[in-house]
C-alpha cells in the first residue's frame, strides 16, 4: 500500500499567486531587483520569445507567472510581509516601481503599509507588522476616525501619473 503524499508540495504555501502579464521576463527582472526574488525556472510559451510558465521564490513564498494570451489585462495584487516597509518601498522604487501609497501610519490591525505598482502594472502591498493587536483593541480602533483615515490612503489604486 502506498502512502498518500502531502497535498501541498514542499516549498509551496496554501495559496500560490499568479501574475499574468504581457512581459513576464520584465516582471521577473523587477522581482529580482526589488525583492531579491530567486528565479526557479521558466518554460517557453507557444509564441516565440514568450513565457508559458515561470516561478520565482520571494522569501518563503513561490509566485507563478506567464505571458498572457488573454485580450483583457489581468494585473496581480500581491501582499509581501517585509521587515521594513520604508526600506522595501525605496528598493522597489529604485527597481522602477511607482509609489501608490507612501508608508502609512500604523493601521488598526497593527501593520504599517506602503504600496507600489511595478512597470508592468502589478500592485504590491508592502506590509510591516509593528504590533500585535487584541480583538478588543481592534474593535476600539475601527471606531476611531484616525484609523479610518489611515486606511483610506491604502485604497487608492493608481500611482500619480499612471493611468
Amino acid at each position: 500500500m502506498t502512502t498518500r503524499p502531502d497535498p501541498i508540495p514542499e516549498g509551496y504555501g496554501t495559496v500560490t499567486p499568479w501574475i499574468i502579464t504581457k512581459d513576464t521576463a520584465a516582471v521577473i527582472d523587477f522581482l529580482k531587483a526589488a525583492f531579491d526574488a530567486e528565479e526557479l525556472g521558466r518554460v517557453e510559451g507557444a509564441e516565440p520569445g514568450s513565457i508559458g510558465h515561470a516561478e520565482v521564490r520571494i522569501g518563503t513564498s513561490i509566485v507563478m507567472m506567464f505571458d498572457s494570451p488573454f485580450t483583457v489585462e489581468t494585473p496581480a495584487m500581491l501582499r509581501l510581509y517585509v521587515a521594513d516597509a520604508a526600506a522595501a518601498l525605496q528598493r522597489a522604487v529604485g527597481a522602477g516601481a511607482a509609489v501608490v501609497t507612501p508608508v502609512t501610519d500604523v493601521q488598526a490591525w497593527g501593520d504599517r503599509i506602503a504600496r507600489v505598482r511595478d512597470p508592468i502594472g502589478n500592485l504590491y502591498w508592502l506590509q510591516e507588522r509593528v504590533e500585535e493587536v487584541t480583538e478588543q483593541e481592534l474593535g476600539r480602533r475601527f471606531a476611531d476616525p484616525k484609523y479610518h483615515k489611515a486606511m483610506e490612503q491604502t485604497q487608492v489604486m493608481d500611482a500619480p501619473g499612471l493611468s
Side-chain angles (χ1 to χ4, degrees), residues 137-149:
E137 176 63 9
L138 185 61
R140 185 194 69 73
R141 288 181 178 188
F142 275 130
D144 184 337
K146 165 186 163 184
Y147 290 101
H148 283 277
K149 181 130 179 92

Side-chain angles (χ1 to χ4, degrees), residues 19-123:
I19 298 176
I20 305 164
T21 180
K22 296 293 186 195
D23 193 351
T24 300
V27 172
I28 292 170
D29 290 343
F30 172 80
L31 294 173
K32 287 177 179 179
F35 307 120
D36 276 338
E38 172 192 359
E39 184 173 341
L40 301 176
R42 64 173 84 182
V43 177
E44 188 172 322
E47 297 295 318
S50 70
I51 295 177
H53 181 84
E55 294 186 12
V56 300
R57 181 184 316 280
I58 303 172
T60 60
S61 300
I62 292 176
V63 178
M64 299 189 296
M65 59 199 78
F66 62 90
D67 286 330
S68 176
F70 310 130
T71 57
V72 176
E73 290 297 315
T74 311
M77 292 176 60
L78 303 169
R79 173 192 293 173
L80 282 70
Y81 274 103
V82 298
D84 182 336
L89 176 69
Q90 287 177 335
R91 184 168 176 189
V93 168
V99 175
V100 176
T101 305
V103 178
T104 65
D105 290 334
V106 177
Q107 300 292 310
W109 57 89
D111 290 359
R112 184 174 287 125
I113 298 171
R115 292 184 310 149
V116 296
R117 189 172 299 279
D118 72 18
I120 306 303
N122 301 298
L123 186 65

